[in-house]
Amino acid sequence: MNMPMRRRQTRELRFLGCLALSGVLIALYLDQALRLTAHTGGGYRVIDTQAVTRRIESGELRDREAAWYRPSTPDETGGHPP
């Protein structure tokens, strides 16, 4: 099963070329995603803290835990404190 050296080098170069191309495509994709997130409303949700504060001050929202909220017990967390 000895492949000639020339064929082995060709296969290795093609493989390295595929790896390089994949790396370039991933970098371009991530660069585009970072540019989109820099724009307002770029696909990621951002909490409007001023609007939340206004709703708390107007009484529409409460600045405390919900009535249904209760801390977990050690039994529910597997013996570890929450």
Side-chain angles (χ1 to χ4, degrees), residues 10-81:
T10 303
R11 288 182 69 191
E12 289 175 359
L13 286 176
R14 283 192 307 192
F15 177 70
L16 290 176
C18 285
L19 285 179
L21 179 63
S22 296
V24 167
L25 291 175
I26 290 170
L28 289 173
Y29 175 78
L30 291 175
D31 181 53
Q32 180 185 12
L34 288 175
R35 287 182 188 185
L36 287 176
T37 58
H39 297 291
T40 303
Y44 289 90
R45 293 184 178 190
V46 178
I47 297 175
D48 185 358
T49 53
Q50 292 176 346
V52 172
T53 305
R54 277 193 310 261
R55 291 179 71 184
I56 290 171
E57 290 171 354
S58 70
E60 192 175 344
L61 293 176
R62 294 187 180 162
D63 192 15
R64 62 181 186 85
E65 294 90 5
W68 50 264
Y69 171 79
R70 65 173 178 76
S72 60
T73 62
D75 292 337
E76 294 171 335
T77 60
H80 302 290

